[in-house]
Amino acid sequence: MSDSSRDTAEGAGWGTAERGAYKQLMPDHVEKLSWLSPKTLWAARNGVVASWFGDPTGRTRSRWAAQRTAAGAAADKVVRRNDPDRFSFMVIGDTGEGDDSQYAVVPGFLKASQDTSFAVIASDVIYPVGATDDYGTKFFRPYQDYPAPIYAIPGNHDWYEDLGAFMRVFCDDAPPLAPEPAPRPLTRAWWRALLWHRPRPTDEQRLTEARKLRSAPAQQTAQPGPYWAIDAGPVRIIGIDTGLLGTIDAEQGAWLREVSQGPRPKILVTGSPLYVDGEQHPCAIEGGGTVDDIVRDPAHHYVAAIGGDIHNYQRYPVDVDGRTIQYVVSGGGGAFMHATHTIPRVQIADVTEDDFRCYPLRGDSLAFYSRLYGRRLRLRRFFTLTEAEAAAVIAERLGIRPGRAPGPDTRVTRRTRLVASLLGAGGRPDRTSRFRLPVRKIYTQLFSPGSATYSPPFFKCFLRLDVTPQAVRLRCFAATGNRAQELDPPVEDEITIPLV
């Protein structure tokens, strides 16, 4: 097994490593996607519009669900597979930027996914707005050689064109919804409709050609809607759609409570993680209660909850009345990297730093962003930290053991401390000042989502889950964009989750 980032700097992808062969999989021309572009931000405005004038996704989702049921999809939205008691499946989140950061994941994903029964995409299949014309280069082409079915749950970006493209691709080519009546003038709904980003016309020939890339019979499936349950072997995998704003409507909430009943072990897959960045985000249900209330109920037998949306890997083993539920963030499947160095020292729900895992390591995250902003601001000599310097200053600020030892000669200087502060590095809960909290918030919300066209290491990741009647073995694999990690994807985290 190859070195991971916890073993060596080379295992993290640093150094003069050989570039991977993923470029050979990419189209000749790749449109650069910048999250600082006014054009991109304007196209992706529906989340802001919904937060100002009301979120219509619950009603739209209900209409999609009713249409699928009328077309013959299972009314209970359960996919009943014929997998044996021992099988494996993949989870990959936030995939579809269509550039280096997505395609760099593909070789390792194909290597680690051999003999798996299916894959699940957890959130944001297509960036920036889930358009139909983007599915060719951002879904069908990169995963054309994955031989099994792919299920998906939508993220907020898939909702920016009212989920039409997602439903066409994953739900048996569902036809468009009938238009709703025009709202009364000058109401909140009227303002929302006025500002709403509408789907662009579809190039049908382009979509037809794209579908041919995943046309083998073994690759085909039709899921019952944007949320679903899969009965596979001894487990039930439940995928929920958290829409534009990270909540679920009353109808989906009632369904979730219903399919969560019974003694069968369950794994939740959600677009919005329930624990992330050292905080709990329980996911409100319209009408009362939260998704996490359902997950924590011992009668429902959840063993894990895996969320996308945040573009890195995190794991929180939370004790719930004497049993452990693994709360996982896995959104590193193909978009720009969300920083981990901004995560403060973890101390939540009895989970401490000794229990918590993340990828990339905080030191690697800080080194990565110091290089990025050194280039962007043309201050390389000042901003750039070596991976050893970054690991050392993170260990000092958080009072933790570094995931990879920085070396005995590494010094923490005034410059490294200042750079860490400017880039929003987290701190200890008992030492976080009023100044540091706003800096971290500004950094994570404004500076982090920049250009995705970095050079390796990319610090991408995906999951493989091996299921038996007794346990689920969950492994987080890394994808750096370097050849060594393509040929032998390193395991960055591994946990065995008992089912009995």
Side-chain angles (χ1 to χ4, degrees):
M1 183 178 295
S2 63
D3 285 346
S4 73
S5 69
R6 294 179 177 272
D7 299 317
T8 63
E10 291 75 18
W14 297 115
T16 56
E18 178 187 358
R19 180 73 64 91
Y22 67 87
K23 284 278 192 182
Q24 300 172 15
L25 307 174
M26 298 175 65
D28 293 334
H29 173 72
V30 176
E31 182 178 355
K32 303 299 183 184
L33 177 60
S34 171
W35 290 105
L36 300 179
S37 163
K39 180 181 178 181
T40 301
L41 294 173
W42 176 244
R45 65 187 179 272
N46 283 0
V48 175
V49 174
S51 66
W52 289 349
F53 300 106
D55 184 3
T57 56
R59 185 175 65 252
T60 305
R61 184 190 295 115
S62 179
R63 295 172 67 210
W64 280 122
Q67 183 195 84
R68 290 290 294 135
T69 301
D76 61 2
K77 301 175 180 60
V78 177
V79 178
R80 293 172 174 86
R81 295 178 51 87
N82 295 318
D83 298 296
D85 283 347
R86 297 174 180 270
F87 76 100
S88 303
F89 69 101
M90 306 296 290
V91 176
I92 183 169
D94 298 80
T95 53
E97 283 203 357
D99 51 21
D100 293 56
S101 60
Q102 178 175 15
Y103 280 86
V105 182
V106 174
F109 176 83
L110 294 176
K111 183 88 172 179
S113 66
Q114 293 178 13
D115 302 320
T116 55
S117 297
F118 57 90
V120 176
I121 296 179
S123 180
D124 291 339
V125 182
I126 301 293
Y127 292 102
V129 295
T132 309
D133 287 351
D134 287 337
Y135 268 85
T137 56
K138 299 179 181 182
F139 174 72
F140 289 106
R141 183 183 182 115
Y143 310 118
Q144 61 182 310
D145 292 326
Y146 179 67
I150 299 176
Y151 303 92
I153 55 169
N156 56 315
H157 288 268
D158 300 304
W159 270 100
Y160 288 160
E161 291 201 350
D162 296 332
L163 211 62
F166 180 96
M167 296 297 293
R168 287 199 65 177
V169 171
F170 293 103
C171 300
D172 203 21
D173 210 17
L177 292 174
E180 291 193 290
R184 289 186 295 109
L186 302 181
T187 61
R188 293 179 75 207
W190 183 85
W191 284 108
R192 184 178 65 227
L194 181 67
L195 295 172
W196 203 250
H197 171 79
R198 300 294 178 185
R200 295 171 290 182
T202 298
D203 184 335
E204 295 294 340
Q205 182 61 34
R206 185 175 177 179
L207 179 60
T208 299
E209 290 299 314
R211 287 185 189 274
K212 294 178 181 177
L213 297 174
R214 280 189 53 84
S215 58
Q219 294 174 316
Q220 307 309 303
T221 188
Q223 61 190 54
Y227 57 95
W228 39 258
I230 298 173
D231 283 347
V235 299
R236 171 169 281 187
I237 304 155
I238 298 173
I240 61 171
D241 169 19
T242 53
L244 281 171
L245 302 181
T247 60
I248 67 174
D249 59 281
E251 180 180 308
Q252 185 181 183
W255 170 86
L256 178 60
R257 291 186 176 97
E258 180 65 26
V259 297
S260 297
Q261 300 293 323
R264 191 172 194 156
K266 298 173 186 71
I267 298 170
L268 182 73
V269 183
T270 169
S272 298
L274 303 181
Y275 280 81
V276 60
D277 294 346
E279 301 173 345
Q280 183 189 24
H281 295 265
C283 187
I285 299 174
E286 181 186 20
T290 68
V291 170
D292 202 26
D293 292 338
I294 297 172
V295 171
R296 297 168 74 93
D297 188 330
H300 296 155
H301 298 276
Y302 278 91
V303 298
I306 303 170
D309 190 53
I310 304 301
H311 306 165
N312 53 45
Y313 173 82
Q314 302 173 44
R315 181 171 62 82
Y316 302 81
V318 177
D319 180 84
V320 180
D321 299 326
R323 60 197 177 91
T324 300
I325 300 176
Q326 299 290 340
Y327 290 87
V328 177
V329 178
S330 184
F336 66 87
M337 185 193 87
H338 275 132
T340 59
H341 67 265
T342 59
I343 303 172
R345 179 171 174 168
V346 171
Q347 189 172 341
I348 183 172
D350 295 325
V351 179
T352 67
E353 275 292 329
D354 290 338
D355 310 309
F356 171 70
R357 293 291 183 272
C358 70
Y359 176 78
L361 298 175
R362 290 184 179 96
D364 287 331
S365 172
L366 179 59
F368 177 95
Y369 273 96
S370 75
R371 285 162 167 77
L372 172 66
Y373 283 97
R375 292 194 303 268
R376 185 170 291 174
L377 300 175
R378 299 186 179 181
L379 294 170
R380 296 190 186 196
R381 291 187 63 183
F382 172 75
F383 259 100
T384 300
L385 304 180
T386 68
E387 54 271 23
E389 290 173 330
V393 73
I394 286 290
E396 179 187 84
R397 288 176 69 94
L398 273 66
I400 63 174
R401 292 181 306 232
R404 186 178 66 247
D409 298 329
T410 304
R411 296 175 53 243
V412 178
T413 65
R414 293 176 62 185
R415 180 184 71 88
T416 57
R417 292 187 182 103
L418 179 58
V419 170
S421 293
L422 290 173
L423 293 180
R428 309 183 205 183
D430 58 340
R431 296 189 181 181
T432 302
S433 69
R434 293 180 180 178
F435 171 72
R436 285 179 186 165
L437 282 173
V439 166
R440 177 172 172 259
K441 185 175 182 180
I442 291 170
Y443 178 82
T444 55
Q445 293 187 357
L446 178 62
F447 294 130
S448 181
S451 170
T453 55
Y454 312 134
S455 299
F458 292 102
F459 296 111
K460 302 286 92 189
C461 59
F462 53 89
L463 306 182
R464 175 175 171 133
L465 292 90
D466 301 301
V467 181
T468 72
Q470 292 76 36
V472 175
R473 180 192 186 196
L474 182 152
R475 285 177 289 171
C476 171
F477 289 89
T480 67
N482 289 323
R483 185 65 173 161
Q485 286 81 39
E486 282 187 355
L487 296 173
D488 188 9
V491 176
E492 290 292 336
D493 188 33
E494 179 174 348
I495 187 71
T496 297
I497 306 170
L499 296 183
V500 294

